[in-house]
């Protein structure tokens, strides 16, 4: 390609080369593989073609980005060039135009309303809301612990996350609506991912059973959010809730208040994104602990040493480095937000390769977290890879991880990325200005809940019940996580380092 300099001389300008990638079929490219086994396709692309790969998916040109410097370019350094795009069109079916699906000034206005509710200090000050909700879950497991009947913990973790989210943000306990909401959530997780199925592509007015189900579940979500909004309009909700803040909010450009539809969209966004991802993370973490006896024993020893059986507080978390490492490793191996899709506004160069305007860029967290060039034995669950490396274990300590030398919460730096790695080798909550607003709440809830569960119960997998990750809107375990719940043993001998 040539450009003309101001002097009139013709100067050669080298155009970035095309990224490598599979050819696929002439008509559909990699679309069929994406639909058949999404996680396998993205992982194999990374391992075969490297940090930037190019492929066709139906009529669309798609680039996959996993190299840390390229991820930083997309999510942080040149984020203004990348918008939510076509992959988010399905999200509008259930989220509406909220914080997750908007860009630019509209997104900034919505984010500003919600930001005060996610400050770390404020969340930690209310950690008793989380522990109180977890206590209610643990009590509900007592009959199963006595009978030995297996429990599919997936819905229980979703209800727990609903309870915390409702009490912390919505000013109501969302669990009272769980019987209505959970079926709608399960349907939405599949409907929001546009896979090219015929039932998804037919016009909305075609009276298929799929369209009737879609409308019914959309109506359920809208009705529940409207009930919560109306409750606050009557003065029956919490004056410190995000609902009250949205009712008082105005648009910066016009000064107009938010409409009912706009408030509803924000609440649906906070609800769907807030409880689903945390519920999945809790489910995967407890599953991983149940699979690995050595991890459970090491974690149990640390919890006993620091807590002695009492309910943890937010301040205790700084003294529980192995608990933090277990949660961080679970988020690496099973990232609930497994993909960040974007569309390029203008031509760009990413990792030295040309990315044309209008093309889609996929940033698959799952593939990046399973990259063998970055992570030793990436398919293994090894919490020790997240232990602080600069200090020795204190004398007489049973913890499998030494405490950070500073004695402060390492989250002040990143959400768990080991210091010797690149920031974008590990990014379960994204990065840049659009990093997940609920990161601090999710981490606080995960650590407190896991600590309480492990202290009270010993969870064991049910034989003959395999579990695999499925790429829906979140990384859902399929068909579910079936566990037997028994009293925690009191073996306090930590495994050797």
């Amino acid at each position: 390609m040539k450009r003309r300099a101001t002097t009139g001389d013709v100067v050669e300008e080298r155009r970035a080369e095309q990224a490598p990638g599979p050819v696929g079929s002439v008509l559909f490219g990699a679309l069929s593989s994406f639909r058949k086994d999404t996680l396998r396709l993205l992982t194999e692309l990374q391992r075969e073609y490297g940090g930037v790969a190019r492929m066709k998916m139906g009529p669309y040109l798609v680039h996959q980005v996993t190299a840390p410097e390229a991820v930083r370019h997309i999510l942080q350094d040149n984020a203004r060039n990348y918008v939510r795009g076509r992959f988010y069109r399905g999200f509008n079916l259930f989220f509406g135009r909220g914080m997750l699906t908007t860009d630019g000034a509209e997104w900034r206005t919505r984010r500003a309303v919600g930001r005060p509710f996610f400050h770390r200090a404020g969340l930690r000050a209310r950690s008793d809301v989380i522990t109180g909700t977890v206590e209610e879950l643990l009590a509900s497991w007592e009959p199963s612990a006595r009978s030995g009947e297996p429990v599919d913990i997936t819905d229980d973790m979703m209800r727990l996350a609903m309870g915390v989210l409702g009490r912390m943000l919505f000013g109501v306990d969302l669990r009272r609506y769980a019987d209505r909401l959970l079926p709608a959530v399960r349907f939405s997780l599949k409907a929001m991912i546009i896979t090219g199925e015929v039932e998804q592509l037919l016009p909305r007015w075609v009276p298929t059973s799929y369209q009737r189900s879609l409308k019914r579940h959309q109506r359920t979500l809208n009705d529940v959010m409207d009930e919560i909004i109306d409750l606050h309009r009557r003065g029956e909700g919490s004056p410190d809730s995000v609902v009250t803040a949205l009712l008082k909010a105005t648009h910066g450009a016009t000064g107009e208040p938010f409409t009912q539809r706009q408030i509803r969209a924000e609440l649906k966004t906070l609800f769907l994104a807030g409880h689903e991802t945390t519920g999945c993370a809790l489910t995967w973490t407890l599953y991983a602990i149940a699979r690995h006896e050595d991890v459970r024993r090491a974690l149990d020893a640390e919890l006993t040493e620091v807590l002695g059986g009492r309910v943890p507080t937010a301040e205790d978390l700084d003294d529980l480095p192995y608990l933090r490492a277990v949660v961080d490793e679970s988020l690496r191996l099973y990232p609930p937000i497994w993909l960040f899709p974007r569309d390029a506004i203008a031509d760009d160069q990413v990792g030295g390769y040309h990315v044309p305007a209008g093309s889609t860029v996929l940033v698959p967290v799952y593939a990046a977290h399973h990259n063998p060039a970055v992570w030793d034995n990436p398919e293994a669950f090894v919490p020790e890879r997240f232990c602080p490396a600069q200090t020795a274990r204190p004398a007489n300590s049973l913890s499998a991880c030494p405490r950070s030398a500073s004695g402060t919460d390492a989250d002040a730096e990143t959400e768990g990325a080991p210091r010797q790695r690149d920031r974008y080798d590990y990014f379960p909550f994204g990065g840049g200005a659009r990093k997940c607003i609920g990161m601090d709440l999710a981490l606080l809830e995960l650590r407190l809940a896991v600590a309480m569960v492990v202290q009270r119960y010993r969870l064991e997998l049910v034989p003959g019940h395999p579990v695999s990750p499925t790429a829906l809107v979140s990384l859902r375990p399929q068909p579910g996580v079936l566990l037997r719940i028994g009293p925690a043993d009191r073996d306090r001998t930590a495994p050797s380092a």
Side-chain angles (χ1 to χ4, degrees):
M1 189 172 76
K2 296 182 178 180
R3 63 177 175 84
R4 187 168 296 278
T6 55
T7 60
D9 297 329
V10 176
V11 181
E12 293 291 333
E13 182 182 75
R14 182 179 178 273
R15 180 169 180 167
E17 62 185 71
Q18 178 176 295
V23 176
S25 68
V26 175
L27 291 178
F28 300 106
L31 183 58
S32 59
S33 298
F34 186 85
R35 288 169 52 184
K36 183 178 180 181
D37 193 337
T38 305
L39 298 177
R40 180 178 179 180
L41 169 67
L42 300 182
T43 303
E44 289 181 350
L45 275 174
Q46 193 284 321
R47 295 182 182 184
E48 185 169 354
Y49 298 104
V52 181
R54 180 182 185 273
M55 59 181 166
K56 292 281 288 183
M57 291 181 61
Y60 305 119
L61 175 62
V62 176
H63 285 79
Q64 172 174 292
V65 171
T66 53
E69 66 278 6
V71 173
R72 179 185 294 105
H73 181 83
I74 300 295
L75 298 183
Q76 180 176 314
D77 296 343
N78 198 28
R80 289 183 179 274
N81 189 52
Y82 294 92
V83 295
R84 312 311 259 177
R86 58 179 60 90
F87 265 73
Y88 279 87
R89 291 171 187 166
F91 285 42
N92 289 328
L93 291 171
F94 288 92
F95 284 93
R97 289 193 59 79
M99 192 189 311
L100 183 71
T101 56
T102 53
D103 290 288
E106 187 178 1
W107 166 75
R108 287 190 290 272
T109 296
R110 297 167 187 273
R111 177 117 172 173
V113 177
R115 189 181 297 115
F117 295 90
F118 293 97
H119 287 161
R120 179 177 300 171
L123 294 170
R124 289 171 73 100
R126 300 183 63 203
S127 64
D128 60 318
V129 175
I130 299 174
T131 54
T133 309
V134 177
E135 282 282 9
E136 294 165 5
L137 168 72
L138 300 181
S140 74
W141 279 354
E142 284 291 348
S144 298
R146 289 193 297 268
S147 68
E149 285 296 316
V151 173
D152 186 342
I153 67 168
T154 309
D155 275 356
D156 283 348
M157 294 302 104
M158 296 302 164
R159 289 175 185 269
L160 171 61
M162 279 187 197
V164 171
L165 186 72
R167 290 172 169 178
M168 294 285 275
L169 299 181
F170 281 58
V172 298
D173 192 337
L174 289 172
R175 290 175 299 180
R176 73 174 71 165
Y177 305 100
D179 290 342
R180 296 161 63 188
L181 290 172
L182 284 173
V185 171
R186 284 191 287 266
F187 181 89
S188 72
L189 293 176
K190 296 180 180 180
M192 285 189 284
I193 299 295
I194 306 301
T195 60
E197 300 290 342
V198 173
E199 59 188 7
Q200 290 182 321
L201 300 178
L202 288 174
R204 299 282 177 81
W205 51 264
V206 177
T208 64
S209 61
Y210 173 83
Q211 292 296 340
R212 287 192 292 271
S213 296
L214 175 65
K215 292 175 182 178
R216 182 176 71 255
H217 292 306
Q218 286 174 323
R219 187 165 54 249
T220 295
L221 281 173
N222 289 337
D223 288 348
V224 170
M225 298 306 144
D226 283 341
E227 289 174 27
I228 295 171
I229 296 168
D230 293 343
L231 183 147
H232 281 76
R233 289 191 191 276
R234 297 193 303 267
E236 299 174 20
S238 170
D240 300 321
S241 71
V242 72
V243 187
T244 300
L246 286 165
L247 287 168
K248 295 178 179 178
T250 58
H251 294 278
T254 64
E256 293 292 320
F258 281 33
T259 65
Q260 179 86 357
R261 183 173 185 175
Q262 290 169 332
I263 296 172
R264 185 199 304 143
E266 287 308 312
L267 295 182
K268 287 192 294 184
T269 297
L270 289 170
F271 165 69
L272 288 167
H275 93 277
E276 169 66 23
T277 52
T278 304
C280 281
L282 280 166
T283 304
W284 282 120
T285 304
L286 295 179
Y287 166 77
I289 292 170
R291 282 192 68 196
H292 298 86
E293 174 67 12
D294 57 334
V295 171
R296 185 198 63 79
R297 291 178 61 235
L299 179 57
D300 189 47
E302 179 181 81
L303 294 171
T304 300
E305 179 182 12
V306 175
L307 301 176
R310 64 176 171 82
V311 174
T313 66
E315 288 70 29
D316 290 318
L317 298 180
D318 296 344
D319 296 321
L320 296 166
Y322 193 65
L323 170 65
R324 179 175 185 263
V326 168
V327 170
D328 287 347
E329 174 69 344
S330 176
L331 292 172
R332 181 197 68 82
L333 195 60
Y334 308 109
I337 310 170
W338 59 276
L339 178 71
F340 296 107
R342 298 288 190 269
D343 279 7
I345 298 173
D347 283 15
D348 197 8
Q349 288 191 28
V350 179
Y353 297 110
H354 177 62
V355 174
S359 61
T360 292
V361 175
L362 303 181
V363 183
V365 186
Y366 185 90
H369 284 189
H370 289 245
N371 182 359
V374 173
W375 304 95
D376 294 333
N377 196 8
E379 306 305 321
F381 185 75
V382 185
E384 287 76 10
R385 68 173 99 235
F386 285 96
C387 287
Q390 76 277 27
T391 57
R393 183 184 294 106
N396 303 319
S397 173
L398 298 179
S399 174
C401 260
R403 186 181 177 188
S404 172
S406 65
T408 59
D409 187 355
D411 287 341
E413 297 176 6
T414 73
E415 64 270 26
R419 291 181 181 86
Q420 68 271 26
R421 299 189 189 279
D422 188 283
R423 164 68 183 81
Y424 285 97
D425 283 336
Y426 177 80
F427 53 106
F429 297 96
R434 299 204 67 147
K435 183 167 68 174
C436 176
I437 194 173
M439 181 189 79
D440 289 321
L441 175 57
L443 289 174
L444 182 64
E445 183 177 346
L446 280 165
R447 293 169 190 166
L448 290 173
V450 169
M452 293 176 70
V453 170
V454 171
Q455 284 198 112
R456 179 80 67 87
Y457 294 115
R458 178 171 181 170
L459 307 180
E460 296 181 345
L461 295 174
V462 175
H465 186 77
V467 177
S468 60
T470 301
L472 302 175
V473 171
S474 58
L475 194 74
R476 272 265 182 162
Q478 296 293 341
V481 176
L482 196 63
L483 300 177
R484 283 196 175 90
I485 300 172
D489 62 62
R490 298 275 67 88
D491 176 10
R492 302 309 186 191
T493 304
S496 59

